[in-house]
Every structure is written in structure tokens, then in C-alpha cells.
Amino acid sequence: MAVQINPSILSADFSRLADEAKAVEGADWLHVDVMDNHFVPNLTLGVPVVEALGKATDTPMDCHLMIEDPDRWAPAYVEAGAGSVTFHVEAAAAPVRLAREIRAKGARAAMALKPATPIEPYEDLLPELDMLLVMTVEPGFGGQAFLDIMLPKIRRTRELISRHGLEMWLQVDGGVSASTIERCAEAGADVFVAGSAVYGAEDPDKAVRELRALAENAAGTTGLCGHQAAGR
Ligand code: DX5
Ligand code: ZN
């Protein structure tokens, strides 16, 4: 389970997106938050900006769609150059069909859960997905406080992934910083989105390196899965 750090450009300077993308060369993916002011009470960017950003950077894009009707819109983000597309299960009409379509178009398919959405009803869908995103804030805004109450869900999700023998990644997003990333790694997350903790830092690339070191240490001290070390 390799640690990956995905800076969220939501906290970057939108007037200099290409430069901001280059400021985090050590990042694994650029996390691009798409919001439609319906699924969440905020509006950000859409397909044309993703397409332009993709041409401006070599770092692959991880598009997090916080939008209604992802069944209709998600495939366009693959065509725009996203290497991974995440839809919210609360918004998808047909998550299996959608995940298959994303994969068929050549991107990794991921599904996100808001804080109040449990993982258990979706256990049978896991083989259709390349990544599961457990939100650790209510989606919509950067800079919110990490929700500790999500740690048990991260643990349970990692257990389900292990039980099914799947290779899939487990991403956390929201309030991930130097003071919370270790708890997430210990619980079993391996892909970490960080917005304000990266772009709010004086040296964003250094912040990426520091977050990675903390997560690798935390994952290392507890073995592959934190829940095993916790004796569960
Ligand atoms: C929130 C977005 C996050 C956000 C994270 O709805 O999905 O990706 O940018 O920002 P921080 O890391 O500041 O909580
Ligand atoms: Zn996000």
C-alpha cells in the first residue's frame, strides 16, 4: 500500500492554475474539485478548465465531482484528460454502469461517500471501483476541520477491501493536515487529499513531502492495515 499525496487545487490561486500545478511537482495526482452549486452549495470549475489544466501539467488529474447527475457528466471529464474520476454515490443513478463507463473510457473509477453515508450497503460494488473516497468533512469547501468521527468508517472500509482481496485505493479528503494525516493512515487510508495544508503553506512542495513522510511513518508503524495493529 503506497502512500499518495494529492493536493487539492481548490485552495490554489485560480488565476495562476498552471503555475500552482507546477508548484507541487512531488504530488502523485492533482485533486480537482468540481462543484455545481446543486449537490454542494459552492461552484468551482468544469470540463474546459480541466482540459486546459491537463495540457499545462504532467501530473495526472484526480477529478472529484461534487455534482448532480454524474451519470451524464462524468464521462466528459475522462475525455477532458482526467486519469481518475470520482462520483458521489448519493448523486449517481446507476453507480455500476457509471463506474464501468469511466473505466471503459480509460480512467480509474472512484466512488465518494459523504460523512453520513455508510459503506456497508455498497460492499458488493467494490470490485467495480479503483478507489473509494471517504469524505472527512461535509463536501463543499476547503479549510474545514477534520471529522474524527469518520475514522471508524475508514477502518471498516479498509477491512472490507482486504476481505475482498482487492487492490483498490482508499482516499480521504477534508481537513487532512500534518496534525490529522497520521490518524488517517493508521486507520487504513493510502491516498490523501490536502488543500489548505498544501497551498496554505509557504512551500507547497515541501508540505507535500512532509505529509508523505508522516503518512508513510504512520502506515509503517502499524503494518499494512491499521485495524490489524489495533487488534481488530
Ligand atoms: C471539499 C473538497 C476538498 C477540499 C479539501 O469539499 O472536496 O478536496 O479542497 O480542502 P482541505 O484540505 O483544506 O480541507
Ligand atoms: Zn475533493
Side-chain angles (χ1 to χ4, degrees):
M1 202 166 68
V3 163
Q4 300 187 67
I5 307 291
N6 301 6
S8 165
I9 58 156
L10 186 62
S11 299
D13 179 347
F14 271 30
S15 71
R16 304 171 39 250
L17 277 187
D19 293 338
E20 294 282 70
K22 287 179 193 127
V24 289
E25 279 186 328
D28 294 282
W29 297 76
L30 277 183
H31 184 83
V32 181
D33 288 304
V34 177
M35 306 186 190
D36 66 351
N37 198 33
H38 291 277
F39 184 71
V40 289
N42 197 1
L43 186 67
T44 55
L45 51 86
V47 169
V49 175
V50 169
E51 205 168 356
L53 185 60
K55 287 179 185 148
T57 174
D58 292 334
T59 309
M61 290 178 294
D62 149 33
C63 284
H64 176 195
L65 306 183
M66 286 160 276
I67 60 173
E68 297 288 2
D69 206 1
D71 304 71
R72 175 174 176 197
W73 293 107
Y77 287 88
V78 184
E79 284 158 21
S84 175
V85 175
T86 303
F87 59 86
H88 268 267
V89 68
E90 304 87 355
V96 173
R97 187 171 62 208
L98 180 54
R100 288 185 179 182
E101 197 178 343
I102 292 168
R103 280 177 159 180
K105 282 189 173 289
R108 296 177 61 90
M111 192 171 86
L113 308 175
K114 289 168 71 172
T117 306
I119 179 62
E120 284 75 13
Y122 306 107
E123 177 176 353
D124 293 341
L125 270 58
L126 294 182
E128 301 287 338
L129 301 163
D130 298 297
M131 182 171 78
L132 221 289
L133 164 54
V134 173
M135 290 301 300
T136 41
V137 297
E138 288 290 355
F141 301 94
Q144 301 181 75
F146 179 79
L147 292 174
D148 260 305
I149 53 169
M150 290 298 105
L151 289 169
K153 182 156 83 178
I154 299 168
R155 262 183 223 110
R156 292 198 307 273
T157 306
R158 174 54 70 191
E159 275 171 11
L160 285 179
I161 294 170
S162 306
R163 198 180 308 150
H164 284 260
L166 298 168
E167 292 293 312
M168 66 189 296
W169 300 343
L170 176 51
Q171 184 177 59
V172 283
D173 180 10
V176 176
S177 69
S179 53
T180 58
I181 194 166
E182 292 161 299
R183 276 174 266 170
C184 297
E186 281 161 9
D190 56 358
V191 184
F192 305 87
V193 176
S196 43
V198 169
Y199 281 108
E202 208 160 298
D203 181 345
D205 211 32
K206 187 169 164 226
V208 169
R209 286 195 299 275
E210 287 171 355
L211 288 171
R212 187 188 303 284
L214 287 169
E216 282 176 349
N217 256 333
T221 43
T222 57
L224 276 186
C225 301
H227 61 269
Q228 287 170 350
R232 296 185 53 187

